Amino acid sequence: MYIIIAGGGKVGNQLARDLITDGHEVTVLEANPTKARNLEDELGAVVLGHDASEGRWMMEAGIARADLVIAVTGHDEDNIIICQMAEPLSQGKARTIARVNNPKNSDTFRLLGIEALVDATDLVMSMIERDVSTDSVVHLMRLQSAGLELIEVTVGHRSSADGATPDDLGLPERGARICVVLRDHKPLLPLATARLQAGDSVILVAQTEDEVELRKQFLKP
């Protein structure tokens, strides 16, 4: 996936590092010359010292072939402009995600069709993971202080979970709890008596170290 990051501050820097580590092609646009030079020293030639809110620099960054544009500058107005500009310049190909510096502006971002997040690097990464992952387990959110993760897992065919109810799985004893079960993008209710089947998406909270056991239960026959 080719990703353009607008803004090379702490959020943009960390996102770029994580995405490059995950094997994505990344370009970072940072308007501040000092920040751009420092970032280039760390990340190399993927950094362009230009203002992403100007279309010519987005074109130079390769917006025409971009799959995703992430606007994480410190100014909501710039992030809106960047995301609004990305659609026509990419001919509708590039998806957009924006950092919202002032939560009061979240509704404005959503009304404009921009996926809006309040300064949460791990949430941006989870959204990208959902789009590109071929794995049946997606990490949605990390609750570091509690040692927990919010995980989405797809029930495997003939796995232990296939045909079971949440109570059958005995998850609470291991510190895991199912939050919702989705079938065809709709929640199964009531949850306690819902019988899982292959292909269901199960969103649950679990201890980080329990992922191996959860994979065995939900994925393996």
Side-chain angles (χ1 to χ4, degrees):
M1 181 180 279
Y2 178 48
I3 301 169
I4 295 175
I5 299 174
K10 291 181 180 179
V11 176
N13 187 332
Q14 189 59 54
L15 276 173
R17 290 172 179 275
D18 291 345
L19 290 168
I20 291 169
T21 299
D22 286 349
H24 298 289
E25 182 184 359
V26 174
T27 294
V28 181
L29 284 162
E30 170 53 54
N32 183 293
T34 302
K35 284 185 180 180
R37 283 194 298 270
N38 292 338
L39 199 57
E40 188 173 4
D41 289 341
E42 297 178 31
L43 301 178
V46 302
V47 180
L48 296 178
H50 298 298
D51 187 348
S53 64
E54 295 186 27
R56 56 178 174 158
W57 302 125
M58 290 288 278
M59 293 297 292
E60 183 172 320
I63 182 64
R65 65 182 184 88
D67 300 294
L68 177 64
V69 173
I70 307 174
V72 288
T73 76
H75 304 284
D76 286 347
E77 297 84 355
D78 287 344
N79 291 341
I80 288 174
I81 291 170
I82 291 162
C83 290
Q84 288 293 95
M85 187 169 52
E87 183 174 359
L89 291 180
S90 68
Q91 296 184 335
K93 178 185 175 185
R95 178 183 168 195
T96 57
I97 300 174
R99 170 189 179 183
V100 182
N101 298 280
N102 184 347
K104 292 181 180 179
N105 294 330
S106 296
D107 288 342
T108 301
F109 279 75
R110 294 189 179 98
L111 285 171
L112 293 171
I114 303 167
E115 294 193 49
L117 299 174
V118 182
D119 195 358
T121 303
D122 56 340
L123 287 181
V124 176
M125 289 300 298
S126 73
M127 293 172 74
I128 296 168
E129 183 181 359
R130 290 193 68 175
D131 279 355
V132 304
S133 178
T134 57
D135 198 355
S136 295
V137 176
V138 176
H139 304 87
L140 300 176
M141 184 183 296
R142 187 177 299 109
L143 308 173
Q144 292 180 334
S145 60
L148 298 173
E149 290 201 24
L150 187 66
I151 298 172
E152 179 179 357
V153 58
T154 302
V155 177
H157 180 60
R158 299 179 68 181
S159 65
S160 299
D162 190 5
T165 67
D167 287 344
D168 293 336
L169 298 174
L171 295 178
E173 286 79 11
R174 290 211 305 271
R177 186 172 296 275
I178 293 176
C179 302
V180 65
V181 177
L182 300 174
R183 182 175 298 161
D184 297 326
H185 307 291
K186 296 179 181 179
L188 292 184
L189 298 172
L191 179 59
T193 57
R195 194 163 293 278
L196 306 180
Q197 67 182 39
D200 286 348
S201 292
V202 179
I203 298 175
L204 50 85
V205 176
Q207 294 181 2
T208 304
E209 60 268 23
D210 284 342
E211 182 176 331
V212 173
E213 287 300 315
L214 290 171
R215 284 178 177 271
K216 291 179 182 178
Q217 193 160 22
F218 282 89
L219 304 181
K220 295 186 178 181

